[in-house]
Every structure is written in C-alpha cells, then in structure tokens.
Amino acid sequence: MTSFKNLIYTAFIISLFFSCENDSDTNFILKGNVKNLKKGVLYLQKDGKSTIINLDSVVVKGEPNFELKANIEEPVLLYLKLQKNDGQEHYIPFFADKGITEINTTLKGFSSAAKIKGSKQQVVLEAYQELMTDFKNKNLDLLKANFEAVKRKDTTTTDSLYKQSERLLRLKYASIINYALNNKDSEVAPYLALYEIPNTSAKYLDSIYNNLKPDIKASFYGKKLGKVLSDFKIAQDSIK
C-alpha cells in the first residue's frame, strides 16, 4: 500500500514538473471574462493546413474569468471559440503576438460585444474592420432594396441595384488594397491580401507584396503571400 502511495506521489511530482516546464515554454497568454457565462468550454485555436488546431482549452463552470496559454513564433491570427449546448459555433478572431492579450465580452454578444486589448497588429486589424463596417451596411441596404424590387417584379430597379452592388464591391476591394499598402509595416497587410480580396488581380497582390517592409515579407503571412504569387507565376509560365 505504501509503495502504491509512493508511486502516485512520484507520478504527481513528475506531472507537476512537466506542467511547470510547459508553462515556462508558453510566450502567449489570453485572459479575460465572458459575462453571464455559467457553463461551456473555451478554446484557443489557430488555422492548420487543413483543419483548426486547438492550442489550449478551459472548462467554464460558474466562473466567467478565463486564462489560456500557447507558444507562438510570431504574430498570427488566433481564435477564441466558445462551445455551448446550442448547436452553434461562436468565434472571436484576433491578431496575437507574444505577451498578453485580454478579451472581455458577454455570453449574448460573444463575437459582436468583444473588447480586445493586446497586440499592435490587433489595433491595425480593428481599424480595418471599422473601415469595412460602412461597406457592410451599404451592401445590406442594397440587398434589402433588391429584395423589395424583386417582390415588385421591378427589373429596371434590380438591374440598377446590381450595377451599384458591383461598383460597391470594386470600391471595397480598392479600399482594402489601399489599406494594405498604407500598412506595409504590419503583418496585417499580407493577411488582408491573402484572405480579404480573394478574387483580385495578381498584379494588385504583387503590388502589396513588393511594398511590404523586409521583416513583414519574412513574416508568416508575408512568406505565404510570396508563395501564392510564386505559384501563380509558375502556373502562368506553364501555359505560355
């Protein structure tokens, strides 16, 4: 019996040692509060090659405060995911860098009410999101007007609204490209080029890439954008 207790004690010490060792390896902490959350699971996640990767998780039982940890090599977009028993997925995307990021939100408005305090990249991302809010609202207005025109079978109006929608999309893309060009010293710029303007011409992506500061070109998203452009040029050369 004594030897069994000693075995358990030894295993506990070893697990504690490795736990402390793993904590010392972490260079990123996400902490915060989800107001009114009584029960659920919070995950810290990142994009993998073909799936979402869980970096850390915590079970919430009555205490709305949380803390999640990970080790990140450089600034990257991460996600705070809430899993609760409603059959839906709830995510808060944010740009993380080494150090501490704080997210405070509510259960009801998990994504929309989130207040994020952390990296300088997150500040750039939020300014971009604010810029896009106007385009989102205008697009919703056009969709509503088109819905009403379709009900009236007013083809003249629907044709006009379609043209307005096309112009709005071109203006949105131009604004994103301009924003990326104006933030050449931030990892957010190549991220936007990769994920926010998927149907734009390669020449605009090339312009964003060549405008990047050297350290941003060497970043995760900078190298990814460079690879996309390189693959495109190879594909173009192969059909000449």
Side-chain angles (χ1 to χ4, degrees), residues 224-240:
K224 199 168 184 178
L225 178 57
K227 178 71 164 51
V228 167
L229 289 167
S230 176
D231 290 346
F232 176 78
K233 290 174 181 175
I234 291 172
Q236 288 293 99
D237 290 341
S238 68
I239 60 176
K240 287 181 179 178

Side-chain angles (χ1 to χ4, degrees), residues 177-206:
I177 292 166
N178 188 57
Y179 190 84
L181 290 171
N182 287 334
N183 288 278
K184 59 186 178 182
D185 58 348
S186 174
E187 290 85 355
V188 176
Y191 170 81
L192 295 179
L194 285 164
Y195 299 109
E196 295 294 301
I197 43 177
N199 299 317
T200 196
S201 169
K203 71 176 183 179
Y204 294 119
L205 296 181
D206 195 57

Side-chain angles (χ1 to χ4, degrees), residues 3-17:
S3 60
F4 180 69
K5 287 183 178 180
N6 288 338
L7 181 62
I8 293 176
Y9 178 76
T10 301
F12 172 75
I13 293 298
I14 292 173
S15 66
L16 183 63
F17 171 77

